[in-house]
Amino acid sequence: MPVRVIIDGKEVVLEKPTTILNAARRAGIDIPSLCYDERLSPYGSCRLCLVEVKGGGLVTACTTYVQDGMEVSTETPEVVKHRKVILSMLAERHPRDARGRLAELFKRYGVEPSGEGKPELVDDSHPLLRFDSSRCVLCYSCVRVCDEYIGRLIWRTMYRGQQVVVIPETGKFGTSSCISCRACVDVCPSGAIVDKVMSSSVPDRWGETACSMCSLSCPVRVGFSGPRPVYVEGERGQLPFSAECLKGKYHWEDLVYVPERPEGPRVRSDGLWSKAGWDDALRAVAQGLREAVSEGGPRSVGVIVSSRLTAEAYYLSQLLARAGLGTNNVDTASTLLPSTGELTPIGGPLPTAPFSAVQDVDVIVTIGQVEEYHPALASAIRRQSLQGYSRLVVISTKDDKLSRFADIFVESGQDSLQAAIRAVEASLAEGGRVDVAGASRYLAGAVSLALSLRSLGGSRASRQAGVDEGVVRAAAEAIASARRLVIVSELDGTPGVASESLSLAALSGALSREGSGFLPLLSYFDNYEAVAFGVSPSRLPGGLRLDEARELEAAWKASVPGEPGMSSAEMIEAARDGRLRALVVIGYDLASPSPMRESILEAMSRVPLVVSISPTAGVGVSYASKFHLPLASHVEEEGVYVSADGRLTLARGNTVINNAMRGWEVASRLLEALGYRRRYSSSRDAWDELRSLVKEPLPDYDSMVRGPAKVDLRRMAA
């Protein structure tokens, strides 16, 4: 039943009870707090969130749940007086140049800090972070986020009462076991813990790009100091949850300021790396590829695109294979995962609804570790649950971070996750709550599947999965009663989870019900959108078949082979068998991120010529590559980034450092070195050619500057 409350005279209607603080935020009312963070359990230590409840007096908004008919006032004279007293006590010892949320609250309530900074209290021993205990307000958020959210114990409290302090585990930040995740930086309300790179440099100009670290491709702004990127922030106005992701905010540094990033191309000879200029390196790579084609034919060479790149880089990568090497052996690394094949009935691992759909449904189901691999989307899901917008059903392992915010948690082991999903399906079928007609559009044999699940029954399926039958029935009831339903499935390559998630989405109506959808997410190699731009052994840009290549051949002045090429999995198998003479990997290191790294690395080591075009040197580059051409990271790129749901973001105004090169330019110059006669002068040049060759309307650069743009990836890749 909906819950209705009045906050500062405004009626707020909630799908379920939540705290006063979250109900107020839903209504756009900012109740001050220093110790509250959506990722953490409510703590109530700062006492700034006190509000007045009619008939109930003063209560902490972060720990008090609303009740139907409750009336709340957030800025009464008594409440304001209380907040000023607390802030004045903090201001007595806090440095005058207050920062962050605390500085905002000082200004809001007319309180002036009067303390002095104490250099002796600054711990600068950590290579990336700085801790100034004179700014600490004892909110304990750093302690709690490290423990509850990250699962470590870097921050500790010592002593009691007025003597209590927060310190790193070893007493010195630099000697602690900190993994530099920056979660403590993100939750600190007073600037006591800061990122050195992002705090010590003031951007003198800004560029725009999209984060390449997951399939959301969130739009971000990049601050530059001179030529060097120093600051990244999400474009909250374009995508509200883009500003909530630790990976996007901080871990771009792992692609730019790390020892594994070389300054310019490198060539391996006799096991040793040596530097080379770009012209020499590209000529040598082209010569090696020509020799491989001469020795083994075009079928003996291949191109794998292993991470999210710009659309222009995707387009020119497939052109490199087809026009430069004469082969259709070009594919995304996402087809290495069993999940991709299991989702063939819906055209592969592409969402059936926009990611923003999670903000407009009454039930969200998450399967697997969404928070681990797609933290920005997890942030939106968590907020939907906390603020009473949506009920949250989590089907995952006990260490899933979203489970603490779930209304219903179906806890299973990793090996029994598929069986746990099936138990929910069986419970739905047993109650006659499945959409067989809608499922039949996506699943062959949907009728027989529904009958077999009904025969299996929720009780037996729950026992087989080792999950709580009552919880499974509650999950099925929540799904069946939803008006609008989104199912989000994190697919880490475990066989069977993708197909079972698809069955649940089809049978529950998430694929056919208006306002609902299925969002499959790849934990690794999540760049399936590249298929729409021709990175496929059997599809050309825009989804054209190989026998529809005439117009493209005329534009490229090159013949497209009529025979489909090898998929990424087939190329790795050919490499293992000694049938692949050369392999070009464009994007992140192919062997580093996936659970298949040993088998991939073994296969790559058997290829005579491996060319890695990647931002940093992972194990695949270090142990199997002949050439390493450093690729620009997303904070240095230009061109069009495409999210898995088709949102377009134009990267512009960015600068490349450390003698790296942008993806479109590496592919273009390598094409030229191979004898291709067309030279691309810019990413816009490549984009305009792509626009002219595909049937799906694509916006030009100018229209993307003016406002949001989207493309139908399913139609382009079909």
Side-chain angles (χ1 to χ4, degrees):
M1 292 291 292
V3 178
R4 288 175 166 79
V5 296
I6 305 295
I7 304 178
D8 290 346
K10 182 185 294 186
E11 184 181 58
V12 183
V13 182
L14 307 163
E15 287 288 338
K16 62 179 186 180
T18 187
T19 63
I20 294 174
L21 181 66
N22 278 307
R25 288 185 174 182
R26 175 170 180 172
I29 298 168
D30 179 30
I31 297 175
S33 173
L34 291 176
C35 68
Y36 180 77
D37 186 276
E38 292 173 350
R39 289 162 287 197
L40 306 176
S41 304
Y43 198 57
S45 67
C46 75
R47 318 305 288 178
L48 283 172
C49 71
L50 282 180
V51 294
E52 191 169 331
V53 175
K54 186 175 181 179
L58 296 180
V59 299
T60 49
C62 71
T63 60
T64 304
Y65 275 72
V66 299
Q67 297 176 11
D68 192 44
M70 180 183 279
E71 294 186 30
V72 180
S73 299
T74 69
E75 292 280 340
T76 65
E78 185 178 359
V79 166
V80 170
K81 178 182 177 181
H82 180 87
R83 290 174 185 162
K84 284 185 175 181
V85 169
I86 293 174
L87 289 169
S88 297
M89 293 169 65
L90 291 174
E92 288 179 4
R93 61 180 183 85
H94 199 85
R96 290 185 175 87
D97 58 333
R99 302 168 185 167
R101 174 66 165 164
L102 180 61
E104 295 173 6
L105 294 179
F106 279 151
K107 183 177 180 180
R108 175 171 166 179
Y109 290 99
V111 176
E112 291 289 336
S114 56
E116 299 291 339
K118 298 179 179 180
E120 68 273 15
L121 295 181
V122 176
D123 184 344
D124 209 19
S125 60
H126 192 290
L128 297 174
L129 308 177
R130 179 183 296 113
F131 175 48
D132 181 354
S133 61
S134 70
R135 297 181 182 275
C136 179
V137 294
L138 299 177
C139 65
Y140 309 119
S141 292
C142 59
V143 179
R144 294 185 298 125
V145 79
C146 196
D147 178 15
E148 294 180 23
Y149 186 72
I150 303 301
R152 302 181 76 87
L153 292 168
I154 308 305
W155 295 103
R156 310 287 177 88
T157 57
M158 286 188 66
Y159 312 123
R160 289 176 176 271
Q162 293 185 347
Q163 282 74 45
V164 69
V165 293
V166 173
I167 61 170
E169 58 181 344
T170 59
K172 275 290 184 181
F173 209 175
T175 59
S176 71
S177 57
C178 173
I179 59 174
S180 303
C181 70
R182 279 76 151 200
C184 58
V185 175
D186 211 48
V187 299
C188 180
S190 61
I193 312 170
V194 296
D195 181 297
K196 290 182 182 180
V197 174
M198 295 178 68
S199 67
S200 61
S201 301
V202 178
D204 51 49
R205 63 183 182 84
W206 292 86
E208 299 173 6
T209 188
C211 177
S212 67
M213 293 187 178
C214 84
S215 53
L216 272 68
S217 288
C218 294
V220 296
R221 297 175 71 225
V222 184
F224 289 86
S225 179
R228 305 182 73 79
V230 295
Y231 195 87
V232 168
E233 64 181 17
E235 289 276 25
R236 192 184 295 273
Q238 293 186 42
L239 192 66
F241 44 84
S242 65
E244 312 300 332
C245 176
L246 289 176
K247 284 186 179 179
K249 276 185 181 180
Y250 304 109
H251 288 269
W252 59 270
E253 295 175 2
D254 299 338
L255 300 175
V256 180
Y257 299 119
V258 289
E260 294 82 7
R261 188 181 196 190
E263 294 193 7
R266 297 186 301 163
V267 182
R268 190 206 302 273
S269 179
D270 297 325
L272 299 175
W273 288 103
S274 60
K275 292 183 178 181
W278 273 102
D279 291 340
D280 291 341
L282 289 168
R283 276 195 297 268
V285 169
Q287 180 61 29
L289 292 172
R290 277 194 293 264
E291 291 173 358
V293 172
S294 177
E295 293 168 4
R299 293 278 297 178
S300 71
V301 298
V303 176
I304 297 179
V305 178
S306 60
S307 65
R308 308 190 73 76
L309 305 175
T310 62
E312 297 86 348
Y314 288 150
Y315 172 66
L316 294 179
S317 295
Q318 65 84 33
L319 191 58
L320 171 65
R322 294 187 165 107
L325 301 174
T327 183
N328 282 319
N329 291 346
V330 58
D331 199 9
T332 71
S334 58
T335 60
L336 289 169
L337 299 172
S339 307
T340 299
E342 292 175 20
L343 295 174
T344 299
I346 58 169
L350 294 173
T352 67
F355 289 124
S356 58
V358 300
Q359 298 176 301
D360 192 30
V361 294
D362 48 309
V363 174
I364 301 171
V365 179
T366 67
I367 299 169
Q369 299 274 357
V370 178
E371 180 93 35
E372 185 73 20
Y373 299 101
H374 290 79
L377 186 62
S379 174
I381 293 169
R382 183 171 52 246
R383 181 167 299 157
Q384 287 295 111
S385 177
L386 283 171
Q387 296 189 2
Y389 283 93
S390 310
R391 298 183 71 194
L392 175 59
V393 178
V394 174
I395 308 173
S396 190
T397 53
K398 64 180 180 180
D399 58 343
D400 191 305
K401 294 171 183 172
L402 276 179
S403 66
R404 293 190 292 113
F405 308 95
D407 298 283
I408 302 165
F409 178 32
V410 182
E411 182 183 331
S412 80
Q414 183 61 40
D415 294 338
S416 58
L417 186 56
Q418 180 184 4
I421 303 168
R422 189 182 301 119
V424 176
E425 295 174 72
S427 188
L428 281 168
E430 189 177 34
R433 311 290 291 274
V434 292
D435 179 9
V436 177
S440 296
R441 305 210 304 263
Y442 304 95
L443 302 178
V447 174
S448 59
L449 173 61
L451 289 173
S452 66
L453 287 168
R454 184 172 182 175
S455 176
L456 175 63
S459 297
R460 184 147 55 105
S462 297
R463 288 196 300 273
Q464 291 176 355
V467 295
D468 186 292
E469 179 187 346
V471 174
V472 165
R473 293 194 183 282
E477 178 59 33
I479 292 169
S481 63
R483 299 184 300 277
R484 299 179 308 281
L485 168 71
V486 163
I487 296 177
V488 184
S489 185
E490 186 67 54
L491 306 170
D492 64 359
T494 303
V497 173
S499 57
E500 207 67 59
S501 298
L502 175 58
S503 294
L504 177 60
L507 292 169
S508 67
L511 294 179
S512 53
R513 197 179 308 172
E514 186 177 354
S516 300
F518 176 44
L519 310 183
L521 308 170
L522 297 181
S523 305
Y524 312 98
F525 307 136
D526 56 342
N527 63 338
Y528 192 76
E529 76 286 345
V531 172
F533 301 95
V535 183
S536 165
S538 60
R539 290 286 178 174
L540 299 168
L544 294 174
R545 300 188 309 271
L546 296 178
D547 60 7
E548 298 176 308
R550 182 175 300 176
E551 186 177 341
L552 298 181
E553 290 176 325
W556 297 340
K557 296 181 175 56
S559 297
V560 173
E563 182 183 0
M566 290 187 281
S567 68
S568 291
E570 291 169 331
M571 282 188 261
I572 293 299
E573 190 62 32
R576 189 175 292 110
D577 294 344
R579 292 180 284 120
L580 209 64
R581 303 290 305 168
L583 177 64
V584 180
V585 181
I586 307 176
Y588 294 164
D589 191 306
L590 193 61
S592 292
S594 99
M596 302 174 288
R597 61 182 284 174
E598 285 79 13
S599 62
I600 291 174
L601 191 58
E602 178 194 4
M604 290 176 65
S605 66
R606 298 183 182 184
V607 180
L609 175 62
V610 175
V611 180
S612 292
I613 306 172
S614 66
T616 59
V619 292
V621 174
S622 299
Y623 295 103
S625 299
K626 169 77 173 178
F627 295 93
H628 181 201
L629 309 180
L631 186 67
S633 67
H634 63 271
V635 298
E636 302 161 288
E637 266 291 3
E638 68 175 15
V640 180
Y641 277 101
V642 187
S643 66
D645 63 347
R647 185 174 17 83
L648 305 180
T649 301
L650 180 62
R652 60 193 181 113
N654 305 311
T655 306
V656 181
I657 64 171
N658 293 346
N659 200 20
M661 189 175 288
R662 289 169 174 145
W664 72 267
E665 189 174 4
V666 178
S668 173
R669 290 185 60 178
L670 188 50
L671 269 166
E672 194 176 357
L674 286 165
Y676 186 65
R677 296 183 181 180
R678 167 84 156 90
R679 184 169 192 174
Y680 297 89
S681 60
S682 65
S683 60
R684 182 193 288 258
D685 194 8
W687 178 257
D688 287 342
E689 179 176 280
L690 173 64
R691 290 179 63 231
S692 71
L693 296 175
V694 300
K695 296 176 182 178
E696 180 74 13
L698 296 176
D700 60 21
Y701 272 25
D702 293 336
S703 62
M704 283 186 276
V705 171
R706 289 194 295 270
K710 292 199 71 172
V711 65
D712 191 332
L713 289 175
R714 293 187 161 277
R715 197 156 54 205
M716 283 187 71

